[in-house]
Amino acid sequence: AQSVTQPDIHITVSEGASLELRCNYSYGATPYLFWYVQSPGQGLQLLLKYFSGDTLVQGIKGFEAEFKRSQSSFNLRKPSVHWSDAAEYFCAVEAPGTASKLTFGTGTRLQVTL
Amino acid sequence: KAGVTQTPRYLIKTRGQQVTLSCSPISGHRSVSWYQQTPGQGLQFLFEYFSETQRNKGNFPGRFSGRQFSNSRSEMNVSTLELGDSALYLCAGASGEFTDTQYFGPGTRLTVL
């Protein structure tokens, strides 16, 4: 079975600073990979996804993620964080062929200081 | 397009009762998945329905059940509620294709007293 590790429970960055959120997965092959964001009391919004192809994926709100097969990682990055980016971020994997069954990491809470 | 809708948004029940939650996916989407989110266990997959059939199932007891209707709307039922069932229940809709994306609703916050 697949699993996802987000090693950072909580990260604080200053507005305008760069951001990298870590995600490592465990799966026998290359899974489908996702990053979702959740604001307090809200559902999950998809930021970006990787199925195959180019390992650098662009998403919404200026986010990008890079798939590194050798490191089993799919880290999320943003060059300049805005105060509105404060939220909880979830990395998720899906085993190909198991449609609509996501396995989530424990999440990283991002705090942005002004 | 209207987004994924979930009703009710908030619910308070007592132990031993049962509850039914509803989810309507985006028009045209035929797959609905359900997830439970708790502070202790995080986000966990409950089950997925596609074209009125359960296609995937997570590791939850039989007290958790679901169904899907011909218009793709889905209901989730929890019987004999326990305190530990207090959670945010999220549903997600998708086309059902294997490389599709899930779109989440705002969730139903269930509190069991």
Side-chain angles (χ1 to χ4, degrees):
Chain A
Q2 62 271 27
S3 66
V4 181
T5 301
Q6 293 181 248
D8 304 306
I9 296 173
H10 187 209
I11 284 183
T12 300
V13 300
S14 300
E15 188 174 40
S18 63
L19 172 70
E20 182 168 26
L21 301 182
R22 297 183 289 165
C23 171
N24 292 93
Y25 67 88
S26 175
Y27 183 63
T30 299
Y32 298 153
L33 295 156
F34 306 81
W35 275 100
Y36 283 88
V37 61
Q38 185 178 37
S39 298
Q42 302 295 315
L44 299 170
Q45 181 182 23
L46 179 72
L47 288 175
L48 45 77
K49 60 188 177 183
Y50 173 80
F51 290 146
S52 64
D54 192 347
T55 57
L56 186 62
V57 181
Q58 301 298 320
I60 62 171
K61 303 185 180 185
F63 286 94
E64 67 176 27
E66 186 172 13
F67 168 59
K68 292 186 177 180
R69 186 191 312 273
S70 61
Q71 298 176 19
S72 297
S73 69
F74 189 57
N75 293 349
L76 182 71
R77 302 193 294 248
K78 186 170 185 178
S80 177
V81 170
H82 187 262
W83 64 266
S84 61
D85 292 324
E88 188 145 25
Y89 291 78
F90 293 93
C91 180
V93 301
E94 181 181 295
T98 60
S100 302
K101 182 180 178 181
L102 294 168
T103 299
F104 286 89
T106 51
T108 297
R109 179 160 298 279
L110 173 65
Q111 183 176 356
V112 180
T113 58
L114 300 177
Chain B
K1 268 186 179 177
V4 178
T5 58
Q6 291 188 246
T7 57
R9 291 294 310 277
Y10 302 91
L11 207 48
I12 299 175
K13 292 286 187 178
T14 56
R15 280 181 297 173
Q17 288 187 308
Q18 75 165 15
V19 67
T20 299
L21 311 181
S22 180
C23 171
S24 292
I26 296 169
S27 177
H29 283 178
R30 296 190 296 160
S31 165
V32 174
S33 298
W34 288 89
Y35 294 84
Q36 182 196 63
Q37 185 176 24
T38 60
Q41 299 299 316
L43 279 154
Q44 294 186 287
F45 173 79
L46 280 153
F47 34 64
E48 182 239 358
Y49 285 85
F50 176 73
S51 292
E52 301 179 63
T53 301
Q54 189 180 85
R55 187 165 62 171
N56 284 305
K57 189 177 187 305
N59 297 319
F60 277 80
R63 300 186 296 108
F64 292 82
S65 62
R67 60 177 175 168
Q68 186 180 33
F69 302 94
S70 58
N71 62 355
S72 294
R73 187 177 71 87
S74 176
E75 288 182 346
M76 189 192 89
N77 185 274
V78 188
S79 62
T80 319
L81 284 166
E82 301 176 359
L83 295 179
D85 297 333
S86 294
L88 180 67
Y89 290 90
L90 294 164
C91 81
S95 70
E97 301 299 324
F98 286 118
T99 56
D100 194 20
T101 301
Q102 294 186 57
Y103 295 91
F104 283 81
T108 294
R109 171 73 62 186
L110 172 64
T111 301
V112 182
L113 303 176

